[in-house]
Amino acid sequence: MSDSMTDEQFLSSYDPAAFPRVAITADTVLFSVVDGKLVAVLQRRAQAPAKGSWALPGGFVREGEGLDEAAARVLATKAHIERIWLEQLYTFGAPDRDPRMRVVTVAYFALLAAEVVQSAVDAHDDLMLVDVARLPDLAFDHAEILAAAVERLRGKIDYVPLAFALLPEMFTLRELQQVHEAILDTQFAKPAFRRRMIDQGWIEPTGEYETATPYRPAELYRRRTDNA
């Protein structure tokens, strides 16, 4: 492009076909904690390539569609879950990651309450909840994507209050500890964990206690809504 050429002049002769064609997809990693295990939602592929294999819910970004819009549409049409918070994870672009053509995927992840993901899975035969420590063979590079999402989640949980997305509005410290243990795949000493959670300033007691329990009722806490 010469110094005197305008954008209009340049674009009038620009040929996109002169460059390699690249498609973009959005793939989603949906986490929850079920029965003390960190789980993710998988979908069985209905079409080739990798027909019949398990994969992360995903799809191609449409022309004129933003990445976040595409991820939200994928969730609604593939995982049958709508209006949730998504965080962009990473971009995966190995040249051979898809046998059809050069495909770059932008991965997202989210944390959802157990009842949300369980309801979606129970209603659709092509969806499955799987323990992230016991994955089946996954299509494409989706095992790599899921592993990156687990690493991101574990790296953030100590300084970002992510665990509350997996808990009811009011919860016990026991339930909070169970969520942290499931995500980090480790066990904590109860007194030290509870002291650390309280010292972080993210939670506050409600003055209420759990009911319908065979044990001594535990006090219920909630996430603080101020800037603490």
Side-chain angles (χ1 to χ4, degrees), residues 20-24 60 93-98 100-104:
R21 184 182 178 189
V22 179
I24 301 174
F60 285 93
D96 59 351
R97 62 174 304 275
D98 191 308
R100 291 168 289 191
M101 60 183 297
R102 182 71 188 273
V103 178
V104 173

Side-chain angles (χ1 to χ4, degrees), residues 23 30 46 58 62 70 73 87 94 104 116 119 132 169 176 184 190 198 205 207 226:
L30 306 177
R62 295 171 176 170
R73 175 179 52 79
E87 178 176 331
V104 173
V116 174
S119 177
V132 300
E169 182 179 356
L176 181 61
L184 295 170
K190 183 166 68 174
I198 292 172
D226 55 23

Side-chain angles (χ1 to χ4, degrees), residues 52-206:
S53 298
W54 292 101
L56 298 170
F60 285 93
V61 178
R62 295 171 176 170
E63 186 174 356
E65 185 178 47
L67 292 172
D68 293 351
E69 292 176 273
R73 175 179 52 79
V74 163
L75 279 180
T77 59
K78 299 290 185 69
H80 310 283
I81 297 172
E82 299 185 66
R83 294 182 294 277
I84 65 169
W85 171 87
L86 284 168
E87 178 176 331
Q88 197 171 115
L89 171 66
Y90 194 72
T91 300
F92 296 82
D96 59 351
R97 62 174 304 275
D98 191 308
R100 291 168 289 191
M101 60 183 297
R102 182 71 188 273
V103 178
V104 173
T105 193
V106 181
Y108 290 78
F109 79 100
L111 281 74
L112 301 170
E115 57 269 22
V116 174
V117 293
Q118 194 67 64
S119 177
V121 168
D122 289 346
H124 299 90
D125 293 340
D126 63 335
L127 296 179
M128 173 176 71
L129 280 179
V130 61
D131 183 345
V132 300
R134 298 178 179 274
L135 294 176
D137 290 336
L138 300 185
F140 310 116
D141 57 352
H142 288 191
E144 178 185 351
I145 295 173
L146 206 155
V150 171
E151 183 178 2
R152 171 75 64 85
L153 177 59
R154 289 175 174 170
K156 294 184 68 171
I157 193 170
D158 279 337
Y159 66 90
V160 177
L162 296 175
F164 300 108
L166 302 173
L167 291 164
E169 182 179 356
M170 293 194 296
F171 50 86
T172 66
L173 292 178
R174 179 185 68 255
E175 290 171 325
L176 181 61
Q177 181 171 340
Q178 289 171 343
V179 166
H180 277 255
E181 288 178 340
I183 291 173
L184 295 170
D185 191 26
T186 191
Q187 300 292 312
F188 297 106
K190 183 166 68 174
F193 176 83
R194 297 185 174 195
R195 183 167 57 252
R196 180 161 60 91
M197 289 296 104
I198 292 172
D199 289 347
Q200 280 179 322
W202 289 345
I203 61 175
E204 61 184 5
T206 65

